[in-house]
Amino acid sequence: MKTNLLNFDLPGLTRYFDEIKEKPFRAKQVMRWMHLAGVNNFTDMTDLAKSLRAKLEAKAEIKVPELIVEQKSLDGTRKWLLNVGTGNGIETVFIPEDSRGTLCISSQIGCALECMFCSTGRQGFNRNLSTAEIIGQLWWANKALGVTPKEERVISNVVMMGMGEPLANFDNVVTALNIMLDDHGYGLSRRRVTVSTSGMIAQMDRLKEEMPVALAISLHASNDQVRDRIIPLNRKYPLKQLMAACERYLVKAPRDFITFEYIMLKDVNDKPEHAHELIELVKNVPCKFNLIPFNPFPHAGFVRSEQGRIKIFREILLEAGFVVTVRKTRGDDIDAACGQLAGKVQDKTKRQQKWQLVQGVS
Ligand code: SAH
Ligand code: SF4
C-alpha cells in the first residue's frame, strides 16, 4: 500500500524522507506543494528532480477525501460533504464574516459521547478520522474557495466544532493542528485555531503540553444535575474537575481566556437562576461566553429558548462583567448550523436503533 503523505506533519514527513534516503529539505518542499499550493500529485511538483518524483510516485500518494457535494447558503456559508469510504460522509462548513473566515472541521465519523441535544451524537459512532481526512477538509475548502498561493488566504480561523469530539481522536487531531500552524502548511495563528471539547479532562491536560491552541468548552449547564443529564461524559468528569482543568489549561494557552459555549435549551438551562449559578461556577476561570440558541433536528426532544429568555440570560452575565456573544445562526437553509452536521454515518454502536425505540420513530 502507498503511504499517504497527507498523514504527516513536517517532523513526520522529514522522518519519512529520511527513511527513503532523501534530504530533509525535500520534506519542506513537498509540504509546501501539498498545503500551500494545493497540489495532490507529484507531477506538478516541478522543483523536484524527475527521479525523485518517480520514486514518490511508486511509494507514496497524496490522497484527499473525495468531494460528494457542495452546498451554498444564501448568507454565504458553504458546506462540503466529503466521502471517507464505506458509505460514510463527513461535513465541513465555511462561515465568512467581515473580519475573518472560519472553517468548521470534523474530527470523527459520528461521535461516541451521546450528548442529548446533538445530532452528530444521535447518529452513533463509526471511527476516528485520519490526519489526512482532517487536514483534507482544509485542503478542499481552500481549493473550493479558489485559493492560489499568491492570493491572500480566505480561511483565517479554524474551529474543531464539526462532527465528533476532537480530543477523543487526540493523536490524529494534534498532527493535523501541527500542519495548520506550520508555515510550510497553512500558517494559521495558534490563537485562531480552536479545539472545542465536551470536557475530556485528561486530554485537555495533554493538549496543554503538546499543542496549546485556543480552547472552547461545551459547558451547557450550570450544575452537575443538569449536565449529567444532557452530557453523559459529565458523570465521569464533573464540573468541579472541569473548572480546575480549565484553570490549568490557561497557564499555557495562547489566549488568556477559555470560551464557554452554552446552548440555550428552553426550560432546561435557560432560567435566570441558571445564569447566577453559572457566574458562581466559573468564578476562578477567566472566560467568555458564547450562547448558542439550540438548533433543532428531527426528534430532538428539546426546544430553542425564546429570544426574551436569551436576552435576560445574557444581561445577567453582562452585568457580572463577562463578555458574552450570542451565536448567529448561519447556514440555516443548508443545515450547516452547530449540531446539525449529520454527514453520513454508518453507525457501529446501534444507537440509532436505540433512539428509534425510545422515541417510537419508525
Ligand atoms: N465534540 C465537541 C465539538 C463538536 S460540537 C464539543 O462537543 O464541544 C460543536 C458545538 O456545537 C458544541 O458546543 C456542541 O455542544 C454544539 N451543539 C451540538 N448540538 C447542537 C445543537 N443541536 N444546537 C446548537 N449547538 C449544538
Ligand atoms: Fe459529540 Fe460534541 Fe455532539 Fe457531544 S456535542 S455528541 S461531544 S459532537
Side-chain angles (χ1 to χ4, degrees):
M1 214 169 75
K2 290 186 176 181
T3 306
N4 187 359
L5 301 190
L6 276 188
N7 276 316
F8 295 127
D9 55 8
L10 187 57
L13 199 59
T14 308
R15 276 194 300 276
Y16 177 76
F17 274 84
D18 188 48
E19 270 165 35
I20 64 165
K21 313 242 172 320
E22 294 291 338
K23 298 247 164 52
F25 77 92
R26 295 290 181 204
K28 281 188 188 146
Q29 275 178 307
V30 171
M31 192 89 179
R32 294 176 77 87
W33 276 116
M34 292 193 295
H35 299 293
L36 280 175
V39 162
N40 62 343
N41 65 77
F42 299 114
T43 319
D44 287 347
M45 299 188 178
T46 43
D47 58 359
L48 302 187
K50 273 218 174 103
S51 56
L52 173 56
R53 279 186 260 165
K55 186 170 171 182
L56 288 173
E57 202 76 63
K59 290 176 185 291
E61 62 182 353
I62 301 166
K63 191 162 177 270
V64 284
E66 176 204 354
L67 178 65
I68 301 173
V69 66
E70 172 177 350
Q71 286 176 285
K72 282 186 198 166
S73 161
L74 293 172
D75 69 12
T77 302
R78 291 166 76 151
K79 182 167 93 168
W80 298 276
L81 177 64
L82 302 176
N83 180 3
V84 281
T86 52
N88 288 297
I90 49 159
E91 292 183 320
T92 305
V93 176
F94 176 68
I95 307 146
E97 288 171 292
D98 290 345
S99 57
R100 63 184 168 198
T102 305
L103 191 70
C104 180
I105 288 189
S106 297
S107 56
Q108 298 183 308
I109 304 172
C111 183
L113 294 183
E114 306 199 37
C115 299
M116 301 278 287
F117 47 79
C118 173
S119 169
T120 304
R122 293 275 185 91
Q123 295 281 311
F125 177 69
N126 186 284
R127 67 169 171 84
N128 282 332
L129 293 179
S130 66
T131 296
E133 289 163 337
I134 298 169
I135 208 68
Q137 298 169 60
L138 186 49
W139 189 95
W140 257 121
N142 259 321
K143 195 133 193 120
L145 294 166
V147 174
T148 70
K150 286 199 191 80
E151 284 167 324
E152 216 173 275
R153 287 261 151 121
V154 192
I155 299 166
S156 59
N157 294 50
V158 168
V159 292
M160 302 288 310
M161 293 186 188
M163 298 168 67
E165 166 54 52
L167 296 186
N169 181 13
F170 193 88
D171 292 340
N172 294 346
V173 165
V174 164
T175 307
L177 292 172
N178 213 13
I179 300 170
M180 291 177 205
L181 302 184
D182 201 307
D183 283 340
H184 303 289
Y186 296 86
L188 291 171
S189 151
R190 198 178 275 285
R191 299 156 54 85
R192 288 170 169 267
V193 174
T194 302
V195 164
S196 174
T197 176
S198 52
M200 300 190 74
I201 290 178
Q203 287 82 350
M204 282 164 61
D205 283 330
R206 264 187 82 190
L207 191 72
K208 163 177 75 110
E209 297 304 327
E210 294 178 32
M211 180 56 62
V213 290
L215 188 67
I217 302 283
S218 294
L219 195 56
H220 305 331
S222 55
N223 62 54
D224 283 319
Q225 212 185 353
V226 175
R227 202 165 191 268
D228 279 352
R229 187 153 78 79
I230 60 176
I231 304 179
L233 182 72
N234 197 67
R235 297 174 207 153
K236 185 170 174 204
Y237 294 133
L239 282 168
K240 196 159 174 245
Q241 289 181 28
L242 182 56
M243 290 303 116
C246 288
E247 283 184 64
R248 292 195 296 276
Y249 194 85
L250 281 172
V251 174
K252 297 223 170 141
R255 313 198 89 152
D256 55 6
F257 62 89
I258 301 275
T259 302
F260 286 127
E261 295 161 276
Y262 196 97
I263 189 169
M264 301 298 297
L265 303 166
K266 185 176 178 193
D267 294 336
V268 175
N269 65 358
D270 67 344
K271 297 181 183 157
E273 59 256 38
H274 293 128
H276 291 295
E277 202 172 34
L278 198 54
I279 293 166
E280 183 57 25
L281 175 72
V282 305
K283 63 175 188 252
N284 295 326
V285 184
C287 62
K288 291 185 181 176
F289 285 100
N290 191 359
L291 305 181
I292 315 174
F294 169 66
N295 290 311
F297 54 89
H299 315 295
F302 292 100
V303 175
R304 181 185 288 185
S305 303
E306 284 143 16
Q307 285 289 338
R309 273 273 173 88
I310 300 178
K311 195 164 167 261
I312 293 169
F313 200 94
R314 175 169 175 263
E315 271 160 15
I316 295 171
L317 296 177
L318 284 175
E319 206 139 293
F322 290 98
V323 173
V324 189
T325 49
V326 178
R327 191 170 294 170
K328 276 191 258 135
T329 297
R330 300 285 304 262
D332 245 352
D333 50 339
I334 57 168
D335 282 346
C338 295
Q340 286 184 325
L341 300 188
K344 281 169 68 188
V345 179
Q346 300 296 315
D347 181 23
K348 286 189 170 169
T349 61
K350 305 228 172 9
R351 191 172 319 141
Q352 276 169 11
Q353 275 154 275
K354 224 165 61 191
W355 269 108
Q356 285 170 2
L357 280 176
V358 173
Q359 307 238 330
V361 180
S362 59

